[in-house]
Amino acid sequence: MVNEASDTAGESLAYKLERSTGSFFERVERLWQKKWFRLLVAFLGLCVLGWFLVWLIFARDLPDAAALQTYEPPLPTTVRAYDGEPVHSYARERRVQLEFSEYPALLVRAYLAAEDRTFFEHGGLDYPGIATAIVTNISSSGRPVGASTITQQVAKNLLLTSEVSYRRKVREAILAYRIEDVLTKEEILELYLNQIFLGRNAYGVQAAAQAYFGKDVDALALHEMAYLAILPKGPSNYRPEVHEQRAIGRRNWVLAAMRDNGWITASQFQAAAARPLGTIARSGPRFERVGGYFVEEVRRQLIEQFGENEDAGPYSVYSGGLWVRTSLNPELQEYTKDALRGGLLRYSSGRGWSGPISQIEMDDQWPRRLLSTFIGTDFSNWQIAVAIRPAGGGAEIGFSDGTTGRINSAPSALKAGDIIAVSPLGGSSYRLENVPEVSGGMVVQNPRNGRIWAMQGGFDDRMSSFNRATQAQRQPGSTIKPFVYATALEHGMTPATLIADSPFCVYQSASLGRKCFQNFGNARSAGEQTLRWGVEQSRNLMTVRAANDAGMDNVVKTIKTMGIGDYQPYLAFALGAGDTTVMNLTNAYSMLANHGRELNPTVIDFVQDRQGKVIFRADKRNCENCNLSDWDGQPMPRPRPVGKQLMDPMTAYQMVDILQGVITRGTAQNLRSLERPLFGKTGTSSGPTNVWFVGGSPDMVAGVYLGFDQPRNMGGYAQGGTLAAPIFRQFAERAMAGMPKTPFVAPKGVRMVRVDRRTGKRVYGGWPTDDPKSAVIWDVFKPETEPRRSLRKDDLLARLEARKAQLLAQRAAAESRALEAARNRGPARNDDEFLQAQGGIY
């Protein structure tokens, strides 16, 4: 029974479905017979197909408009000095990002008058404008025109390309609708005013205000606002240098539109329309030439860490909007630049013209070619020019702005196309200047924390970007010797150790053969001398003996540990045959002044992103409880010392004390006139091809070298003491003026002992004097290494004989006085008187 009922119910349901389906198709079939139904279906089909085609052709891969809510425009990286003052910026687009509230209302209205009067009324598209554009495009075969609203321009500039096509216009319109849904009108205007290109490499209105008027937006006058508002249509069409009248006409059109919209009064219109453009000459950032080599080193390190372009990440150098605090001291940088340039010019004076800076091809485009070399100079009143037509002992010259002049005296080697430096004499006459062929580098460092205060890598960074302070690998000569002797001090020697200054030869290998060393300038041997004297007088023979006794394996290990270089254990490296940089060697001397504690030379203190978050910090030490709101009753918290201990503090101080002798009575005596505690060492490499000085005070260490980029002989007279040390003196006279005369502080455990300066023997009777060449000096020893009293037999016998002779003489004198007294006073009355008459008991 149950099965039969189920079968009956199933048959009934199937019948109903069949009947229902049949009736549906019958109704559709009856409707299809009607014409209006077929037209309706065709229309709906076309709509669906059209929607699909629009999606497929225009909207399928459109970017998300919501991304604009978190959009961050490319911003330049700003570099600040040690005191927080901006000194440079890295940018391919000059832009300053402002909030909408920071733009004056009148400035906003000027842009609305010029670009989109109904901006606050429409929903993203200007339909009357679109209709006009369609008619124009149909009737014209030229470039398609549009009626882009500000919203559409934002869509094009931020989410699309600048492709000229109808497809891009349709995509732009779709995006405009979407943008209006996700952003407010004020947010859209903020994006627009910060992003729009306005010429002179200025992106955004604030950057343009600075580029054209040298003002911030809140200081612009009405006529200046109107001029900036005409630039989005085509900055090159309204360049003030070329199209001034066209720019004034368009500016006044914007002013009239503002008047017609009731945004300004008739009197404001008349006053503004009567004004000239008032733009300034095109110029770069106001701080663009501060610290050329230094800021280039900062840029190089930032690119290495964060990348260069947008695709490198959110912190890229040219678009990330980073704020970089550096250790640059602009004042010291200026002193460093002047001192190195002065030394280069002194060496080059009287040597004749060194040749052109560079060359270009000469044709009617020479001003553009000269400008595109980006060669410049900020030295004195020098200017960069190109020789156009040498003739009659002189030459016609030209400048990058197209102007010309003449030099009346030119060397015969000068050719057309040579880029040269000249200085004005008056009128159109100029004098040829000689850019030194010799070059060099200089670094100034804080020896307490490793921060680089100044850096100069050549004569002028716009003539040569090669940074010789960090990139040039040069032989340091005798400036390496302190680290050789420091190794000797670590292995048992003392400043008073006697070392033979005599011929020294060594068999190196079958291929290298026998090597015999000699003093600089073939100076004669001086016999046994103290280690201190050997450093002060920079004796090569004593240095190689000290290195040989301490072991060259140990010497090169010390040199590597101090960050100077990685050398093979050959004795020649003890005399500076290896290569290093000014930066590395200056840092090594700073570590000596820092009691042998590790320092890392840094030019960047910290980096912040555009929101102010610190994303890099050079000093990573933590200081517990340093930020307490109130004193907790405990000793003042201090961060732990920087770096590891790379050298025994007492060894480092011994070396610093010895190097003070180089200043007072050694190869750098010309620095004694600075009259302050200084240490340092001169250096001259074989040839001589390089001359050096590295040294300074407890508060400031500097290193400098001079040499040709392609090493060659500088002349027999060239020495570190005569060429490099005067550069340091010129710098220090200005940089150290007013600084406290801080002495070098000895570490715990050091023993100061009076010794004979020549022999190194301990002195008990005499005292050091202010004379730098005093016979008795204070010398520095580690515990239990200071000279003791001599116990040699011959010395002891000589002292006994001298004492015996002294006693005999005293006794004879006493007997003589006693006999004379007895004659005068008669016979003695008791034993006491007798004993006293005889001079006491012996």
Side-chain angles (χ1 to χ4, degrees):
M1 293 291 292
V2 175
N3 291 338
E4 290 179 2
S6 297
D7 292 342
T8 303
E11 291 175 1
S12 175
L13 177 62
Y15 174 75
K16 290 179 180 179
L17 289 173
E18 182 180 353
R19 181 179 179 186
S20 175
T21 305
S23 63
F24 171 75
F25 282 112
E26 288 174 0
R27 287 197 296 269
V28 171
E29 187 176 358
R30 286 196 300 268
L31 287 172
W32 188 257
Q33 301 301 321
K34 300 180 184 297
K35 184 177 180 181
W36 65 267
F37 182 76
R38 291 197 302 272
L39 291 175
L40 177 62
V41 171
F43 175 75
L44 292 174
L46 289 173
C47 288
V48 172
L49 179 62
W51 178 88
F52 176 74
L53 290 175
V54 167
W55 174 85
L56 183 67
I57 299 172
F58 301 109
R60 178 166 54 102
D61 56 351
L62 277 177
D64 187 0
L68 294 179
Q69 292 177 318
T70 57
Y71 174 74
E72 293 182 339
L75 292 178
T77 288
T78 301
V79 179
R80 296 174 179 266
Y82 78 102
D83 57 359
E85 285 296 313
V87 295
H88 198 83
S89 68
Y90 308 121
R92 294 195 174 101
E93 299 177 359
R94 295 173 63 181
R95 179 185 281 107
V96 179
Q97 188 175 11
L98 300 181
E99 295 182 1
F100 178 74
S101 59
E102 296 179 272
Y103 287 103
L106 206 56
L107 176 62
V108 174
R109 288 172 175 170
Y111 276 92
L112 295 181
E115 295 293 316
D116 193 353
R117 301 187 192 189
T118 61
F119 174 75
F120 282 99
E121 285 76 44
H122 64 64
L125 298 178
D126 177 13
Y127 293 107
I130 292 175
T132 303
I134 291 174
V135 172
T136 303
N137 290 333
I138 292 175
S139 61
S140 173
S141 60
R143 176 187 175 98
V145 299
S148 294
T149 63
I150 285 179
T151 310
Q152 287 177 274
Q153 293 184 54
V154 169
K156 180 187 71 173
N157 293 333
L158 301 185
L159 299 177
L160 298 174
T161 67
S162 296
E163 172 193 3
V164 180
S165 69
Y166 291 110
R167 180 176 182 271
R168 196 265 297 165
K169 293 298 292 183
V170 174
R171 289 163 62 85
E172 181 183 294
I174 296 171
L175 275 176
Y177 267 119
R178 295 181 180 180
I179 290 172
E180 292 277 348
D181 286 338
V182 298
L183 297 178
T184 66
K185 290 289 188 179
E186 290 76 11
E187 289 172 335
I188 295 171
L189 273 175
E190 181 180 310
L191 287 172
Y192 175 78
L193 295 173
N194 282 328
Q195 183 70 25
I196 193 71
F197 174 64
L198 300 172
R200 292 193 175 181
N201 199 32
Y203 290 77
V205 181
Q206 168 64 15
Q210 285 290 345
Y212 287 97
F213 300 106
K215 299 178 180 180
D216 293 326
V217 290
D218 58 358
L220 292 173
L222 175 59
H223 71 284
E224 294 168 338
M225 295 178 183
Y227 173 74
L228 295 180
I230 71 174
L231 296 176
K233 289 297 184 187
S236 60
N237 296 329
Y238 305 110
R239 290 174 56 194
E241 306 90 348
V242 181
H243 306 297
E244 183 178 7
Q245 292 306 312
R246 182 192 299 175
I248 290 176
R250 182 69 178 175
R251 180 202 67 181
N252 292 348
W253 176 86
V254 171
L255 290 169
M258 295 177 72
R259 178 199 59 196
D260 295 343
N261 279 276
W263 294 335
I264 60 173
T265 65
S267 60
Q268 285 179 302
F269 164 76
Q270 292 172 356
R275 298 286 298 274
L277 287 180
T279 56
I280 62 175
R282 182 168 184 159
S283 63
R286 287 168 291 180
F287 44 78
E288 132 180 81
R289 293 310 309 153
V290 177
Y293 284 105
F294 191 104
V295 297
E296 175 59 21
E297 177 64 18
V298 172
R299 186 188 74 93
R300 186 189 65 78
Q301 293 189 17
L302 288 173
I303 289 176
E304 183 177 331
Q305 183 159 359
F306 298 113
E308 184 172 357
N309 300 313
E310 268 185 286
D311 54 6
Y315 305 136
S316 59
V317 173
Y318 284 99
S319 60
L322 305 180
W323 292 87
V324 183
R325 178 69 70 89
T326 71
S327 54
L328 173 68
N329 185 316
E331 188 176 44
L332 295 182
Q333 176 66 31
E334 195 67 20
Y335 299 159
T336 302
K337 180 175 67 176
D338 291 346
L340 182 61
R341 283 177 169 177
L344 297 174
L345 289 171
R346 283 193 297 272
Y347 176 83
S348 300
S349 62
R351 292 178 175 269
W353 187 55
S354 60
I357 302 169
S358 187
Q359 292 92 20
I360 61 172
E361 181 183 346
M362 285 304 296
D363 54 24
D364 57 354
Q365 296 296 313
W366 63 262
R368 181 181 58 81
R369 295 183 188 278
L370 179 59
L371 183 64
S372 64
T373 64
F374 297 103
I375 295 175
T377 181
D378 59 357
F379 179 68
S380 187
N381 60 345
W382 288 15
Q383 300 176 47
I384 299 300
V386 62
I388 299 175
R389 197 175 296 104
E396 182 185 357
I397 60 174
F399 301 92
S400 58
D401 61 359
T403 60
T404 60
R406 180 172 179 81
I407 51 177
N408 296 320
S409 178
S412 57
L414 183 67
K415 306 185 301 297
D418 285 348
I419 299 177
I420 55 177
V422 298
S423 60
L425 293 174
S428 60
S429 296
Y430 293 83
R431 177 176 59 205
L432 177 65
E433 298 291 355
N434 186 33
V435 178
E437 185 181 8
V438 71
S439 197
M442 187 171 181
V443 170
V444 181
Q445 186 175 25
N446 182 342
R448 304 186 189 279
N449 52 35
R451 298 169 71 225
I452 303 298
W453 278 326
M455 177 191 303
Q456 186 69 11
F459 186 80
D460 197 312
D461 66 293
R462 286 196 290 176
M463 294 183 185
S464 170
S465 61
F466 181 63
N467 190 343
R468 296 156 188 85
T470 60
Q471 296 175 295
Q473 295 284 339
R474 315 295 292 201
Q475 292 185 349
S478 295
T479 52
I480 202 72
K481 290 179 180 177
F483 304 96
V484 177
Y485 285 104
T487 309
L489 293 173
E490 292 270 61
H491 288 78
M493 294 189 185
T494 75
T497 298
L498 293 177
I499 304 174
D501 180 32
S502 59
F504 184 82
C505 297
V506 61
Y507 179 78
Q508 300 179 101
S509 66
S511 58
L512 297 176
R514 184 178 175 84
K515 168 71 175 178
C516 289
F517 295 90
Q518 59 188 22
N519 285 322
F520 180 80
N522 292 323
R524 290 191 307 171
S525 302
E528 282 197 339
Q529 301 290 339
T530 64
L531 181 150
R532 174 183 287 275
W533 186 88
V535 179
E536 292 175 355
Q537 303 304 318
S538 198
R539 307 295 280 196
N540 290 350
L541 293 174
M542 295 178 67
T543 304
V544 293
R545 284 184 182 276
N548 189 65
D549 291 347
M552 271 307 297
D553 286 329
N554 296 320
V555 170
V556 295
K557 182 180 178 181
T558 298
I559 292 173
K560 182 178 180 180
T561 300
M562 300 300 282
I564 300 171
D566 190 1
Y567 307 142
Q568 295 298 313
Y570 299 134
L571 282 172
F573 291 117
L575 300 179
D579 289 336
T580 190
T581 65
V582 182
M583 174 84 84
N584 290 346
L585 198 55
T586 303
N587 187 65
Y589 273 73
S590 291
M591 288 192 282
L592 288 179
N594 196 38
H595 289 173
R597 187 170 287 277
E598 180 185 25
L599 294 173
N600 292 312
T602 60
V603 294
I604 300 173
D605 290 344
F606 59 86
V607 180
Q608 297 169 279
D609 66 13
R610 65 178 71 203
Q611 279 81 36
K613 178 185 176 183
V614 175
I615 58 176
F616 169 79
R617 188 160 62 102
D619 188 351
K620 297 179 175 61
R621 295 177 297 164
N622 292 321
C623 183
E624 295 182 4
N625 299 328
C626 283
N627 294 324
L628 290 176
S629 58
D630 198 4
W631 182 46
D632 60 358
Q634 300 299 315
M636 180 181 294
R638 298 180 185 275
R640 59 180 174 80
V642 177
K644 300 177 294 184
Q645 195 69 49
L646 301 182
M647 182 183 289
D648 185 330
M650 288 187 283
T651 300
Y653 181 74
Q654 282 181 304
M655 207 64 247
V656 168
D657 189 77
I658 292 171
L659 292 175
Q660 290 184 73
V662 175
I663 307 296
T664 55
R665 51 185 172 265
T667 57
Q669 292 183 57
N670 52 7
L671 301 180
R672 206 164 67 198
S673 60
L674 294 172
E675 297 181 346
R676 64 171 56 246
L678 293 173
F679 81 117
K681 184 71 183 73
T682 58
T684 308
S685 62
S686 297
T689 57
N690 304 287
V691 293
W692 291 74
F693 176 81
V694 187
S697 72
D699 303 310
M700 183 185 296
V701 174
V704 58
Y705 95 89
L706 266 66
F708 293 98
D709 286 342
Q710 298 297 322
R712 67 172 191 262
N713 196 308
M714 296 180 66
Y717 73 95
Q719 296 181 33
T722 57
L723 293 179
I727 294 175
F728 174 84
R729 184 180 63 224
Q730 180 180 340
F731 162 79
E733 285 172 348
R734 301 170 68 187
M736 294 184 176
M739 288 178 60
K741 296 183 178 181
T742 309
F744 292 93
V745 178
K748 184 179 180 180
V750 163
R751 299 189 179 183
M752 306 297 294
V753 176
R754 287 173 290 154
V755 301
D756 182 278
R757 182 171 61 85
R758 299 295 297 179
T759 65
K761 293 183 178 181
R762 190 164 187 168
V763 172
Y764 292 92
W767 290 88
T769 67
D770 293 334
D771 182 6
K773 297 186 178 180
S774 171
V776 178
I777 62 171
W778 290 107
D779 215 337
V780 186
F781 297 91
K782 299 174 184 176
E784 307 302 325
T785 65
E786 62 270 28
R788 305 288 183 178
R789 291 179 181 270
S790 175
L791 296 179
R792 290 183 302 177
K793 183 176 179 180
D794 55 348
D795 188 41
L796 182 60
L797 289 175
R799 291 189 179 191
L800 288 174
E801 289 296 328
R803 180 59 177 166
K804 181 178 179 180
Q806 182 183 12
L807 292 175
L808 289 174
Q810 290 176 350
R811 181 176 181 179
E815 290 176 350
S816 176
R817 289 194 300 273
L819 290 174
E820 184 66 26
R823 283 196 295 267
N824 294 336
R825 292 184 295 174
R829 290 173 296 184
N830 53 46
D831 291 343
D832 290 340
E833 289 184 359
F834 174 78
L835 290 173
Q836 291 197 21
Q838 297 301 315
I841 299 177
Y842 293 93

Coordinates of all heavy atoms in Angstrom, one line a residue, residues 480-528:
I480 N 101.7 54.7 9.1 CA 101.3 53.4 9.6 C 102.2 53.0 10.7 O 101.9 52.0 11.5 CB 101.5 52.3 8.4 CG1 100.7 51.0 8.7 CG2 103.0 52.0 8.2 CD1 99.2 51.2 8.5
K481 N 103.3 53.7 10.9 CA 104.3 53.3 11.9 C 103.8 53.2 13.4 O 104.2 52.3 14.1 CB 105.5 54.2 11.9 CG 106.4 54.0 10.6 CD 107.6 54.9 10.6 CE 108.4 54.7 9.3 NZ 109.5 55.7 9.2
P482 N 102.9 54.1 13.8 CA 102.4 54.0 15.2 C 101.8 52.6 15.5 O 101.9 52.1 16.6 CB 101.4 55.1 15.3 CG 101.8 56.1 14.3 CD 102.4 55.4 13.2
F483 N 101.2 52.0 14.5 CA 100.6 50.7 14.7 C 101.6 49.5 14.7 O 101.4 48.5 15.3 CB 99.5 50.5 13.7 CG 98.5 51.6 13.7 CD1 98.6 52.7 12.8 CD2 97.5 51.7 14.7 CE1 97.7 53.7 12.9 CE2 96.6 52.7 14.8 CZ 96.7 53.8 13.9
V484 N 102.7 49.8 14.0 CA 103.8 48.8 14.1 C 104.5 48.9 15.5 O 104.7 47.9 16.2 CB 104.9 49.2 13.1 CG1 106.1 48.3 13.2 CG2 104.3 49.1 11.7
Y485 N 104.7 50.1 16.0 CA 105.3 50.3 17.3 C 104.3 49.9 18.4 O 104.7 49.4 19.5 CB 105.8 51.7 17.5 CG 107.1 52.0 16.8 CD1 107.1 52.7 15.6 CD2 108.3 51.5 17.2 CE1 108.2 53.0 14.9 CE2 109.5 51.8 16.5 CZ 109.4 52.5 15.4 OH 110.6 52.8 14.7
A486 N 103.0 50.1 18.2 CA 102.0 49.6 19.2 C 102.1 48.1 19.4 O 102.0 47.6 20.5 CB 100.6 50.1 18.8
T487 N 102.3 47.4 18.3 CA 102.5 46.0 18.3 C 103.7 45.6 19.1 O 103.7 44.7 20.0 CB 102.6 45.4 16.9 OG1 101.5 45.8 16.2 CG2 102.6 43.9 17.0
A488 N 104.8 46.4 18.9 CA 106.0 46.1 19.7 C 105.8 46.4 21.2 O 106.3 45.7 22.0 CB 107.2 47.0 19.1
L489 N 105.1 47.5 21.5 CA 104.7 47.7 22.9 C 103.9 46.6 23.5 O 104.0 46.3 24.7 CB 104.0 49.1 23.0 CG 104.8 50.3 22.7 CD1 103.9 51.5 22.7 CD2 106.0 50.5 23.6
E490 N 103.0 46.0 22.7 CA 102.2 44.9 23.2 C 103.0 43.6 23.4 O 102.6 42.7 24.1 CB 101.1 44.6 22.2 CG 100.1 45.7 22.0 CD 98.9 45.5 23.0 OE1 99.1 45.5 24.2 OE2 97.8 45.3 22.5
H491 N 104.2 43.6 22.8 CA 105.0 42.4 22.9 C 106.4 42.6 23.6 O 107.4 42.1 23.2 CB 105.3 41.8 21.5 CG 104.1 41.2 20.8 ND1 103.1 41.9 20.3 CD2 103.7 39.9 20.7 CE1 102.1 41.1 19.8 NE2 102.5 39.9 20.1
G492 N 106.3 43.4 24.6 CA 107.4 43.5 25.5 C 108.3 44.7 25.5 O 109.1 45.0 26.4
M493 N 108.2 45.5 24.4 CA 109.0 46.7 24.4 C 108.4 47.9 25.2 O 107.2 47.8 25.5 CB 109.2 47.2 22.9 CG 110.0 46.2 22.1 SD 110.5 46.9 20.5 CE 111.3 45.5 19.7
T494 N 109.2 48.9 25.4 CA 108.7 50.1 26.1 C 109.1 51.3 25.3 O 110.0 51.2 24.4 CB 109.2 50.2 27.5 OG1 110.6 50.6 27.5 CG2 109.1 48.9 28.3
P495 N 108.6 52.5 25.6 CA 109.1 53.7 24.9 C 110.6 53.9 25.1 O 111.2 54.6 24.3 CB 108.3 54.8 25.5 CG 107.1 54.2 26.0 CD 107.5 52.8 26.5
A496 N 111.2 53.3 26.2 CA 112.6 53.5 26.4 C 113.5 52.4 25.9 O 114.7 52.4 26.1 CB 112.8 53.7 27.9
T497 N 112.9 51.4 25.3 CA 113.6 50.3 24.7 C 114.6 50.8 23.6 O 114.2 51.6 22.8 CB 112.7 49.3 24.1 OG1 111.9 48.7 25.1 CG2 113.5 48.1 23.4
L498 N 115.9 50.4 23.7 CA 116.8 50.8 22.7 C 116.8 49.9 21.5 O 116.7 48.7 21.6 CB 118.2 50.7 23.3 CG 118.5 51.8 24.4 CD1 119.9 51.6 25.0 CD2 118.3 53.2 23.9
I499 N 116.7 50.5 20.3 CA 116.6 49.8 19.0 C 117.7 50.3 18.2 O 117.9 51.5 18.1 CB 115.3 49.9 18.4 CG1 114.1 49.5 19.3 CG2 115.2 49.2 17.1 CD1 112.7 49.8 18.7
A500 N 118.4 49.4 17.5 CA 119.6 49.9 16.7 C 119.0 50.5 15.4 O 118.3 49.9 14.6 CB 120.4 48.7 16.3
D501 N 119.5 51.8 15.2 CA 119.2 52.4 13.9 C 120.5 52.2 13.0 O 121.4 53.0 12.9 CB 119.0 53.9 14.1 CG 118.8 54.7 12.8 OD1 118.1 54.1 11.9 OD2 119.2 55.9 12.7
S502 N 120.5 51.0 12.4 CA 121.6 50.6 11.6 C 121.1 49.7 10.5 O 119.9 49.3 10.5 CB 122.6 49.8 12.5 OG 122.0 48.6 13.0
P503 N 122.0 49.4 9.4 CA 121.5 48.7 8.3 C 120.8 47.4 8.7 O 121.2 46.7 9.6 CB 122.8 48.5 7.5 CG 123.7 49.6 7.9 CD 123.3 49.9 9.3
F504 N 119.7 47.1 7.9 CA 119.0 45.8 8.2 C 118.6 45.2 6.9 O 117.9 45.8 6.1 CB 117.7 46.2 9.0 CG 116.9 45.0 9.5 CD1 117.3 44.3 10.6 CD2 115.8 44.6 8.7 CE1 116.5 43.2 11.0 CE2 115.1 43.5 9.1 CZ 115.4 42.8 10.3
C505 N 119.0 44.0 6.7 CA 118.7 43.2 5.5 C 118.0 41.9 5.9 O 118.2 41.4 7.0 CB 119.9 42.9 4.7 SG 120.8 44.4 4.1
V506 N 117.1 41.4 5.1 CA 116.4 40.2 5.4 C 116.2 39.4 4.1 O 116.0 40.0 3.0 CB 115.0 40.5 6.0 CG1 114.2 41.3 5.1 CG2 114.3 39.2 6.4
Y507 N 116.3 38.1 4.2 CA 116.1 37.2 3.0 C 114.6 37.0 3.0 O 114.0 36.3 3.9 CB 116.9 35.9 3.1 CG 116.6 35.0 2.0 CD1 117.2 35.2 0.7 CD2 115.8 33.9 2.1 CE1 117.0 34.3 -0.4 CE2 115.5 33.0 1.1 CZ 116.1 33.3 -0.2 OH 115.9 32.4 -1.2
Q508 N 113.9 37.4 2.0 CA 112.4 37.3 1.9 C 112.0 36.0 1.3 O 111.1 35.3 1.9 CB 111.8 38.4 1.1 CG 112.2 39.8 1.6 CD 111.6 40.9 0.8 OE1 110.6 41.5 1.1 NE2 112.3 41.2 -0.3
S509 N 112.5 35.6 0.2 CA 112.1 34.3 -0.4 C 113.0 34.1 -1.6 O 113.7 35.0 -2.0 CB 110.6 34.3 -0.8 OG 110.4 35.2 -1.9
A510 N 112.8 32.9 -2.3 CA 113.7 32.7 -3.5 C 113.3 33.6 -4.6 O 114.1 34.1 -5.4 CB 113.5 31.2 -3.9
S511 N 112.0 34.0 -4.7 CA 111.6 34.9 -5.8 C 111.9 36.3 -5.4 O 112.2 37.1 -6.3 CB 110.1 34.7 -6.0 OG 109.3 35.0 -4.8
L512 N 111.7 36.7 -4.2 CA 112.0 38.1 -3.8 C 113.4 38.4 -3.5 O 113.8 39.6 -3.5 CB 111.1 38.5 -2.6 CG 109.5 38.4 -2.9 CD1 108.8 38.7 -1.6 CD2 109.1 39.4 -4.0
G513 N 114.1 37.4 -3.1 CA 115.6 37.6 -2.8 C 115.8 38.3 -1.5 O 115.0 38.4 -0.6
R514 N 117.0 39.0 -1.4 CA 117.4 39.7 -0.2 C 117.0 41.1 -0.3 O 117.2 41.8 -1.3 CB 118.9 39.5 0.0 CG 119.5 40.1 1.2 CD 121.0 39.9 1.2 NE 121.7 40.6 2.4 CZ 121.7 40.0 3.6 NH1 121.2 38.8 3.8 NH2 122.4 40.7 4.6
K515 N 116.4 41.6 0.8 CA 115.9 43.0 0.8 C 116.7 43.8 1.9 O 116.7 43.4 3.1 CB 114.4 43.0 1.1 CG 113.8 44.4 1.5 CD 113.8 45.3 0.3 CE 113.1 46.6 0.6 NZ 113.1 47.6 -0.5
C516 N 117.3 44.9 1.5 CA 117.9 45.7 2.5 C 117.2 47.1 2.6 O 116.8 47.7 1.6 CB 119.4 46.0 2.1 SG 120.4 44.6 2.2
F517 N 116.8 47.5 3.8 CA 116.0 48.7 4.1 C 117.0 49.9 4.3 O 118.1 49.7 4.7 CB 115.1 48.5 5.2 CG 114.1 47.4 5.0 CD1 114.3 46.1 5.3 CD2 112.9 47.7 4.4 CE1 113.4 45.1 5.1 CE2 111.9 46.8 4.2 CZ 112.2 45.4 4.5
Q518 N 116.4 51.1 4.2 CA 117.2 52.3 4.4 C 116.2 53.3 5.0 O 115.0 53.3 4.8 CB 117.8 52.8 3.2 CG 116.9 53.1 2.0 CD 117.6 53.4 0.7 OE1 118.7 53.0 0.5 NE2 116.9 54.1 -0.2
N519 N 116.8 54.3 5.7 CA 116.0 55.4 6.2 C 115.6 56.4 5.1 O 116.2 56.4 4.0 CB 116.9 56.2 7.2 CG 117.0 55.5 8.5 OD1 116.0 54.8 9.0 ND2 118.2 55.6 9.1
F520 N 114.6 57.2 5.4 CA 114.1 58.1 4.4 C 115.2 59.1 4.0 O 115.9 59.6 4.9 CB 112.9 58.9 5.0 CG 112.3 59.9 4.0 CD1 111.5 59.5 3.0 CD2 112.7 61.3 4.1 CE1 111.0 60.5 2.1 CE2 112.2 62.2 3.2 CZ 111.3 61.8 2.2
G521 N 115.3 59.3 2.7 CA 116.4 60.2 2.2 C 117.8 59.7 2.4 O 118.8 60.4 2.4
N522 N 117.9 58.3 2.6 CA 119.2 57.7 2.9 C 119.9 58.3 4.1 O 121.2 58.4 4.1 CB 120.1 57.8 1.6 CG 119.6 56.9 0.5 OD1 119.0 55.8 0.7 ND2 119.7 57.4 -0.7
A523 N 119.1 58.7 5.1 CA 119.7 59.3 6.3 C 120.7 58.3 6.9 O 120.4 57.1 7.0 CB 118.7 59.7 7.2
R524 N 121.8 58.8 7.5 CA 122.8 57.9 8.1 C 122.2 57.2 9.3 O 121.3 57.7 10.0 CB 124.0 58.7 8.5 CG 124.8 59.2 7.3 CD 126.2 59.7 7.7 NE 126.0 60.7 8.8 CZ 127.0 61.3 9.5 NH1 128.2 60.8 9.2 NH2 126.8 62.2 10.3
S525 N 122.8 56.1 9.7 CA 122.4 55.4 10.9 C 122.8 56.2 12.1 O 123.8 56.9 12.1 CB 123.1 54.0 10.9 OG 122.7 53.3 9.7
A526 N 122.0 56.1 13.1 CA 122.3 56.8 14.4 C 122.6 56.0 15.5 O 122.7 56.4 16.7 CB 121.1 57.7 14.7
G527 N 122.9 54.7 15.3 CA 123.2 53.8 16.4 C 122.0 53.4 17.2 O 120.8 53.6 16.8
E528 N 122.2 53.0 18.5 CA 121.1 52.6 19.3 C 120.3 53.9 19.8 O 121.0 54.8 20.4 CB 121.6 51.8 20.5 CG 121.9 50.3 20.2 CD 122.0 49.5 21.4 OE1 122.2 50.0 22.5 OE2 121.8 48.2 21.3

